[in-house]
Amino acid sequence: FDKDMKILKAKSDIPVLYKQNVTNGVFSLIYVFDMGNNHDKALGTAFNYLTYLGTSKKSPAQIKSEFYNLACSFNVFPGTDRVYITLEGLAENMNKALALFEELLTDPQVNKEAFANLTADILKKRTDAKLNQSANFNKLIQYAIWGPDSPDNNILSEAELKSMDPQELTTRIKNLNYFEHRIMYYGPDNEQKLLSTLNSLHKVPAELKPVPTTDNFKQVETKENKVLLAEYDAKQIYLGMTSNDGRFFDPKIEATRELYNEYFGGSMNAIVFQEMREAR
């Protein structure tokens, strides 16, 4: 890391992981917050909602049109313990895209119709997931790891979604930039130009709030052998094994393990799969 990238400092002591793109004229800018649904179960819903919102000066359609005209786009990836907010596209338009992006993050306006549609989509996906064998198996794995109190279940209930004031979600969006975070950049701007852009356009207070800690979830200790069975009417079985026994995890071999899995398994391009299916 010390050799192939640099760690800069933007205003409010925000770390910036920097790597210059010398290949083409596109950029990728990512805000990383070490907080997610484990800290606030409404956070994921709030950022899914963001993609449907406008500001006090621009409608959602205008926001989408302006990003399109700038050849840029943004995405939000909320997880259980981390949120990634990405902005990427044509580097010559980065300043305009970043200004528009920051405007949306700091001034999102409630759209009740969009929230009603989002709620309906969320509930429909949950219903559909119950008919999906892979989704059911994943829930079983989560239960094996966490027991009944799982991060996977730390979500807004149907009743909470239907009774929620969407203003609560826009408030969460507005507050995010007040928390400690870091920025990752890959693009053609040099260090000085990037820091100047961030210091000018990234709307944060002089002192950021620490990310709240959470220890709500504990993995179930593997003390004995157990078989968990979820019956599902299907032509194939899904079978897996989980354990948090220290004998099965060694960080010293993680890089080798990942390399082995990437080379020998994991997809239809894997060498063993190709050998069995194509050659034999």
Side-chain angles (χ1 to χ4, degrees):
F1 290 113
D2 292 338
K3 175 184 175 184
D4 292 325
M5 73 172 189
K6 293 185 178 179
I7 300 178
L8 314 175
K9 272 283 177 70
K11 64 181 181 181
S12 304
D13 285 331
I14 299 173
V16 180
L17 280 62
Y18 170 88
K19 176 66 177 177
Q20 190 170 33
N21 177 5
V22 296
T23 305
N24 53 44
V26 299
F27 79 96
S28 176
L29 185 73
I30 307 174
Y31 299 167
V32 185
F33 297 83
D34 288 319
M35 56 190 289
N37 258 36
N38 283 4
H39 301 78
D40 177 358
K41 66 180 181 180
L43 208 55
T45 305
F47 285 104
N48 288 330
Y49 188 41
L50 175 65
T51 58
Y52 300 100
L53 302 182
T55 68
S56 58
K57 296 180 180 179
K58 297 181 177 72
S59 68
Q62 287 174 312
I63 293 284
K64 287 181 171 60
S65 177
E66 288 194 30
F67 274 118
Y68 180 83
N69 291 334
L70 293 170
C72 294
S73 62
F74 78 91
N75 274 295
V76 182
F77 302 97
T80 54
D81 54 11
R82 186 169 292 146
V83 172
Y84 296 92
I85 306 178
T86 69
L87 178 69
E88 53 192 9
L90 197 60
E92 65 188 63
N93 292 333
M94 186 180 99
N95 284 29
K96 292 180 180 178
L98 182 56
L100 180 63
F101 185 51
E102 289 283 340
E103 180 183 349
L104 181 59
L105 284 177
T106 55
D107 186 32
Q109 297 299 301
V110 168
N111 183 329
K112 291 186 177 180
E113 182 182 359
F115 180 67
N117 291 336
L118 176 63
T119 297
D121 286 347
I122 290 171
L123 297 178
K124 178 68 164 60
K125 287 177 181 176
R126 292 181 187 176
T127 300
D128 291 346
K130 293 178 182 178
L131 305 176
N132 182 286
Q133 185 180 9
S134 179
N136 277 270
F137 184 63
N138 181 61
K139 286 290 185 181
L140 185 62
I141 291 174
Q142 295 302 311
Y143 183 87
I145 295 171
W146 300 98
D149 189 20
S150 164
D152 214 43
N153 292 332
N154 189 44
I155 55 177
L156 293 171
S157 68
E158 180 176 349
E160 287 172 324
L161 280 168
K162 288 183 175 179
S163 64
M164 174 171 272
D165 181 350
Q167 184 73 53
E168 296 179 40
L169 300 181
T170 56
T171 299
R172 283 173 166 83
I173 296 167
K174 292 176 185 177
N175 289 341
L176 194 69
N177 270 358
Y178 287 87
F179 289 99
E180 291 175 348
H181 57 280
R182 57 192 182 278
I183 297 173
M184 298 192 290
Y185 172 82
Y186 178 67
D189 285 0
N190 61 38
E191 299 168 36
Q192 293 74 24
K193 185 178 179 181
L194 173 65
L195 289 178
S196 175
T197 298
L198 291 174
N199 290 337
S200 171
L201 298 176
H202 190 31
K203 297 178 181 179
V204 292
E207 188 172 344
L208 297 173
K209 297 179 183 178
V211 170
T213 58
T214 178
D215 57 355
N216 295 337
F217 305 100
K218 303 289 186 184
Q219 291 189 5
V220 175
E221 289 187 34
T222 308
K223 296 181 177 179
E224 59 183 348
N225 292 330
K226 286 184 180 179
V227 177
L228 301 178
L229 177 65
E231 295 186 47
Y232 190 87
D233 186 15
K235 300 299 182 185
Q236 294 179 318
I237 66 162
Y238 280 46
L239 182 67
M241 184 181 75
T242 69
S243 174
N244 65 359
D245 189 314
R247 294 173 298 173
F248 297 105
F249 176 77
D250 181 356
K252 294 177 182 177
I253 65 167
E254 276 300 284
T256 305
R257 182 192 64 78
E258 288 195 18
L259 179 63
Y260 180 92
N261 286 344
E262 182 70 23
Y263 186 74
F264 284 106
S267 74
M268 295 178 72
N269 293 322
I271 188 169
V272 175
F273 187 93
Q274 288 289 319
E275 176 70 15
M276 289 193 296
R277 191 180 78 157
E278 307 299 340
R280 304 194 184 197

